[in-house]
Amino acid sequence: MQGQLSMSAESIEWPAADPHAFSKTEFRDAMARLGAAVNIITTQGAAGLAGFTASAVCSVSDEPPTLLVCLNRAASVYSAVTANGVLCVNTLAAGQEQLSQLFGGKTPVAERFAAAGWSELKTGAPALHDALVSFDCRITRVADGGTHDILICAVEAIRRRGDGHGLIYFDRAYHHARGAA
Ligand SMILES: Cc1cc2nc3c(=O)[nH]c(=O)nc-3n(C[C@H](O)[C@H](O)[C@H](O)COP(=O)(O)O)c2cc1C
C-alpha cells in the first residue's frame, strides 16, 4: 500500500521510494530520456563572479514571473550563487555547444567567461550577448532537493533574440530545435 502524502503550504513530501525499485544508474538513464533546454547560469556580486551549465531550469509561474533552477550543492559555484542572491539564466542557441561544455566542466572561472561577450541587465549578473533569451533574477527562496538546492527565482528583467534555433540536451547529446520562423 502507498504511504500517506503529507502536505503543507511550503512542501509536499512523498514517502521515501523503495530503495530496491531501481538503481541510481537506472534513474539517471531514465532522466536522460527527458530532453531539456541548455542554459548558462551566471552570478556576480560581493561573493564573486561564477557561472555553470544547467538543464534543470523551468517556469514556475507568470504572476509573479518566477522560474526555478536546481543547483548541485557540491558545485564550485554554489557559494557564489547563493551568497550573491542573484542569477541570470542564459538560454543557449544551436551552435553554442562549446560554451555549454566550458561552463559544465572543471574550467577556471576567468576562462569560462573569456569565451563569450557579456553585459548587465538589472541585477548585475552577466547576460550572454548571443543567448536566445536571458532571464535576470533575484533568488527569493531556496528549497531542499537532496543533493541539489531548488532556487526559486523572481524574474526582474528579460532580453531575447527573435532569431536563432534552440539547443536541447537529450540522450546525453546536444540536438538542435528549429524555431517556427
Ligand atoms: C548539459 C549539462 C547540464 C547540466 N545541468 C546541471 C543542472 O541543472 N544543475 C547543476 O547543478 N549542474 C548541472 N550541470 C553540471 C554543472 O554545469 C557542473 O557541475 C558545474 O559546472 C561544475 O563544475 P564545477 O564544480 O567545476 O564548477 C550540467 C552540465 C551539463 C554539461
Side-chain angles (χ1 to χ4, degrees), residues 154-178:
V155 181
E156 298 203 345
I158 293 172
R159 183 172 73 196
R160 72 183 181 98
R161 270 167 65 178
D163 64 341
H165 300 299
L167 184 63
I168 303 294
Y169 198 64
F170 171 69
D171 251 354
R172 300 190 170 100
Y174 294 100
H175 303 270
H176 294 176
R178 287 194 62 80

Side-chain angles (χ1 to χ4, degrees), residues 52-56 70-72 75-76 103-106 112 148 169 174:
F52 69 106
T53 300
S55 56
C70 298
L71 169 59
N72 193 326
S76 67
F103 278 78
K106 299 287 171 195
R112 294 184 192 194
H148 287 55
Y169 198 64
Y174 294 100

